[in-house]
Amino acid sequence: MRHIRIAPSLLASDFSRLAEEIKAVEMAGADMLHIDVMDGRFVPNITIGQPVVSSIRKTTKLPLDVHLMIVDPMDHIDSFIDAGADIVTVHLEACNHLHRAMATIKSAGRGAGVSLNPATPVVMLKDILEELSLVLIMTVNPGFGGQEFIRSGLDKIKELDRIRQSRNASLLIEVDGGITAQNVAGVIKAGADIVVAGTAIFGSKDYRQAIRRLKLAR
């Protein structure tokens, strides 16, 4: 059985109790923490920056999966790595020099990821696939938590999984957006290795049970 990793999205946590929330999901079986960085330009919302990532790094040993939903990500990659990011993911739609961005991240010994918005086809990655540690498929339009899952994302996950297998690529497939206990089985069946979940975890009364339900869904 394929090992599925669960990455609670801190965007859905109680920021007034952030250290407690992190410790709670860590104890509940989270595999990594997903951190959404939004600049109010690439997406409408504004969230957190490097100082908060640095503070999070001090509270946990879990890998930090930092998702840059920002314009000009090349200007900020190094500072997020310095803040403690283990994986840095940039959006294809926001990065003019994607190969250079991936090389910068990998040269620091970190996981290099590319995210695709719902309207961006997987074929856009065909010339850089071997350079990637992971691809993050967005199954909502990025910018806000709690949105409804866009089902066409399943076809993109399946397509990427087929390409990955045909090219013997070692990248991981991560999926983020509208994940619930009701639809996660389809996401995993389509080929996802990492499932990002916000409300499905932080909106539940029992984090351990919520993570277990997501991880074991088939």
Side-chain angles (χ1 to χ4, degrees):
M1 182 179 291
R2 194 163 85 257
H3 174 60
I4 303 301
R5 307 177 199 185
I6 303 300
S9 175
L10 294 183
L11 184 64
S13 69
D14 181 351
F15 271 47
S16 70
R17 302 171 48 251
L18 186 55
E20 296 172 48
E21 292 274 66
I22 289 169
K23 185 58 63 178
V25 293
E26 185 173 5
M27 295 295 291
D31 298 285
M32 58 182 68
L33 297 174
H34 189 80
I35 303 173
D36 289 311
V37 176
M38 307 180 189
D39 63 359
R41 296 174 63 200
F42 181 68
V43 294
N45 206 1
I46 298 174
T47 54
I48 65 175
Q50 297 90 330
V52 177
V53 173
S54 182
S55 294
I56 292 170
R57 176 74 286 163
K58 296 173 184 176
T59 69
T60 182
K61 293 183 179 180
L62 287 177
L64 301 185
D65 175 26
V66 177
H67 178 193
L68 301 183
M69 288 181 265
I70 62 177
V71 298
D72 300 322
M74 276 296 300
D75 294 342
H76 304 282
I77 285 172
D78 287 337
S79 60
F80 277 102
I81 288 172
D82 291 342
D86 296 287
I87 301 168
V88 179
T89 297
V90 304
H91 269 263
L92 179 146
E93 303 86 358
C95 194
N96 293 326
H97 302 287
L98 196 56
H99 191 281
R100 184 185 302 166
M102 295 301 99
T104 299
I105 298 167
K106 290 168 67 177
S107 68
R110 311 303 165 92
V114 174
S115 184
L116 300 179
N117 281 342
T120 303
V122 169
V123 69
M124 298 289 286
L125 296 175
K126 66 182 179 66
D127 293 329
I128 198 172
L129 211 64
E130 281 76 16
E131 305 299 322
L132 309 181
S133 305
L134 67 83
V135 175
L136 172 55
I137 300 292
M138 294 300 299
T139 46
V140 297
N141 289 295
F144 297 93
Q147 298 183 66
E148 187 173 343
F149 182 83
I150 298 174
R151 291 195 58 82
S152 60
L154 291 173
D155 293 331
K156 290 177 69 174
I157 301 166
K158 293 174 184 176
E159 181 183 359
L160 179 58
D161 187 41
R162 286 195 297 269
I163 296 171
R164 170 175 65 173
Q165 293 186 46
S166 69
R167 292 170 62 166
N168 197 29
S170 59
L171 65 88
L172 297 171
I173 299 175
E174 183 174 20
V175 181
D176 181 11
I179 301 294
T180 66
Q182 289 68 47
N183 61 30
V184 68
V187 169
I188 293 170
K189 184 178 180 180
D193 306 291
I194 304 170
V195 175
V196 178
T199 305
I201 294 173
F202 290 108
S204 69
K205 294 181 179 180
D206 187 333
Y207 293 174
R208 182 177 297 276
Q209 184 181 35
I211 290 173
R212 178 177 173 79
R213 187 181 297 122
L214 294 170
K215 192 173 290 191
L216 297 180
R218 294 292 188 275

